[in-house]
Amino acid sequence: KASEKLRLQKQKARTITVFARTSPYEKDFYSKSASINLNMASNDTRDLLSASITLIDQIFRPNTNFIKAGVIMKNLQSANYLQTHLLINYNKDEIKKSQRLMETIDKMNKRYGNGAINFAICYRQSKTSRMRQESLSLSATTRIHEIPIAKA
């Protein structure tokens, strides 16, 4: 969602911060955050996810009941002007290809509903999106000879 908002606002983030905390009322209160600077500002979901996963590994604590977690995008820059890294070569065609991919994903999500196209690592099954299988037949359509033939 954060990268989609950045693209909507025509901005790119140079720094990402990930945070998580438990309830301050628990005796085992835990709160931690981690940040990373990207080589080049980005609003590409793939770049931001990759950086965020690295940060999550730093702050995650197993068997902890987190009540709040999030991502903060910092050092925002206009998407119209790309500040590149002096020592790193970037392929302009790859950057344009990446921008087209993100635009396509955003358009499909707008047309078919939020979350129509998502990255597998971001998938979270809600109660309403679970398959309803009350009326599922035993063999469904796995046997070709059991499929009914309709004649006009």
Side-chain angles (χ1 to χ4, degrees):
K1 273 300 226 191
S3 56
E4 187 178 341
K5 287 181 181 180
L6 284 173
R7 289 190 295 273
L8 186 65
Q9 297 170 359
K10 300 197 182 327
Q11 293 186 328
K12 294 185 177 197
R14 179 79 197 273
T15 305
I16 302 171
T17 300
V18 174
F19 66 90
R21 70 176 178 91
T22 61
S23 172
Y25 303 107
E26 288 185 20
K27 62 180 175 182
D28 224 11
F29 177 70
Y30 176 79
S31 178
K32 195 160 185 182
S33 66
S35 296
I36 191 169
N37 287 322
L38 303 174
N39 290 330
M40 184 172 69
S42 179
N43 59 14
D44 186 322
T45 304
R46 298 168 300 169
D47 296 339
L48 300 177
L49 275 175
S50 177
S52 297
I53 290 168
T54 305
L55 297 174
I56 289 169
D57 290 339
Q58 293 175 25
I59 68 170
F60 180 74
R61 190 167 87 175
N63 303 319
T64 303
N65 187 19
F66 293 106
I67 63 161
K68 189 170 189 174
V71 177
I72 301 170
M73 302 295 169
K74 297 179 180 177
N75 295 334
L76 302 181
Q77 301 175 5
S78 172
N80 298 330
Y81 307 102
L82 183 62
Q83 178 74 41
T84 58
H85 194 284
L86 182 64
L87 303 175
I88 299 176
N89 253 344
Y90 291 99
N91 185 339
K92 291 180 183 177
D93 293 333
E94 285 296 318
I95 292 172
K96 287 181 182 179
K97 190 176 175 182
S98 174
Q99 288 173 341
R100 283 195 316 267
L101 174 64
M102 293 299 117
E103 286 172 13
T104 303
I105 290 172
D106 290 342
K107 285 178 184 177
M108 291 182 76
N109 281 334
K110 186 175 181 180
R111 181 174 180 179
Y112 297 109
N114 198 12
I117 302 290
N118 211 341
F119 290 83
I121 199 159
C122 298
Y123 180 72
R124 191 177 102 187
Q125 190 175 26
S126 67
K127 291 180 182 179
T128 57
S129 68
R130 291 190 183 126
M131 288 176 46
R132 294 189 336 201
Q133 298 183 337
E134 301 90 39
S135 303
L136 185 67
S137 66
L138 296 176
S139 61
T141 54
T142 56
R143 297 187 188 120
I144 194 78
H145 64 276
E146 291 183 6
I147 298 175
I149 299 172
K151 296 182 182 181

